Amino acid sequence: MRRVEQRVHTRRSQSMPTTVNPLGDGQNSARPGRGFDGVVRISTGSTYGTGVLLFDGRAVLTVAHVLSDTNTTGLSVAFDILAGTQSIKVSRIALHPDYDRVNSNRDLALLWLSEPAPISAERYDLYRNNDEIGKIFTFIGYGETGTGDTGALPRLNSGNSRLKAENRFEADAAALTTEPGVSMPWRPILGDQLIADFDNGQIRNDALGQIMGISGLGLGDQEGMLASGDSGGPAFISGDIAGIASYNARLSKNGLNPDIDVFLNSSYGELGAWTRVSSHQQWIDQQLRSNLPNAPTTPAEVRQVITEGNDGTSLAYFMVSFNGMREDPDEILSVDFATRDGTAMAGSDYLAVDGTLNLYPNENQAVIAVEVIGDLVAEPDETFHLDITNPIGGAFPGGAIILTATRTIVDDDGWV
């Protein structure tokens, strides 16, 4: 008989990954300047969690269970960047409307910042393919840490350091519910949760190998696992957000327990689950679009000229419209996009973006936002471009293979 012995689903704290090697060796550090400065610490005043900055520079993705409700009182987001730690208050929260706390399904939330994120903090796009299973990912978090031998050690880190580790998505958590004889206190729905186990190279501690027949002995000293409370941290595939940390668990089968010890403590032989971002990209995309400040709603409202500003970032908008008829009303249309320098330079005048824009059923237009960097330097007006390519579900006018739009950044600092 197979059964799940225990499960952690706590919203009270956020913990770092447990890893193969101790924290002090530096291998698992995600300190500022290493490409993860958009992974943030979320504080509610009495508790904390992790989140990740999205591509608009205004919203943070995390899990719903780190929040008690949509009250923003005392809620802030801290960015650890090379210049130091910058905290920004949260102005709005959206929980996934179908969040199921009991079963950890659709465990997602969005937080909007009261001001733009620091320019040096990386913005991240969503992993939009559904081929995550079998792929190696890098996951990041704050909080307690430990090793696979010891499990998580409370107060060893306590949210002071941002760490990283790797693992491999091995199955959809819903597969656990179809295993004969499995008794589970929660019911993951198909497509919602991705799971990985913490391997030490020993067959007897290969949790998903022993329980489900999905064999794999791990990634050596790169392997890691979620610790109790490691909620809201991102799992990256090829630099895009594929999962958001939700919970961890111990499994057993007919008295055989792959866990290296008898505790649910993120040690070898346990597993973790991440909410599958690709399954929820429509909700995320549409929430972000509906909350973009002063975004145009018609082509006539699109501004070709943007005032630079003195600090932070402002948004330049590009609108993509579909003027045909879908063969299937439920079809998702898409284009790829990327910014390109004109006289304006990415990183100093604007923040480069590239990705895929989806037009979901009942949508015929959407905007792409690009952050323009404000400063006090007198300079001439400058331009940058956005290229649109690879239309899926439609075609560009006249058989074109690329469409380009240009925006002008107007200096307001007294260029003569």
Side-chain angles (χ1 to χ4, degrees), residues 282 285-286 289 322 326 329 331-333 357-366:
Q282 179 173 351
D285 283 340
Q286 291 181 334
R289 292 171 191 172
F322 175 67
R326 284 177 165 88
E331 181 181 15
I332 297 176
L333 312 178
L357 175 77
N358 288 338
L359 292 179
Y360 298 101
N362 298 316
E363 279 187 334
N364 288 321
Q365 66 181 36

Side-chain angles (χ1 to χ4, degrees), residues 77-109:
V77 169
F79 291 84
D80 288 324
I81 55 179
L82 287 173
T85 299
Q86 180 177 339
S87 293
I88 300 177
K89 292 182 179 180
V90 173
S91 61
R92 183 177 178 273
I93 299 171
L95 306 181
H96 194 291
D98 297 317
Y99 169 48
D100 175 3
R101 184 179 295 272
V102 172
N103 297 298
S104 299
N105 292 316
R106 310 174 193 90
D107 189 9
L108 289 176

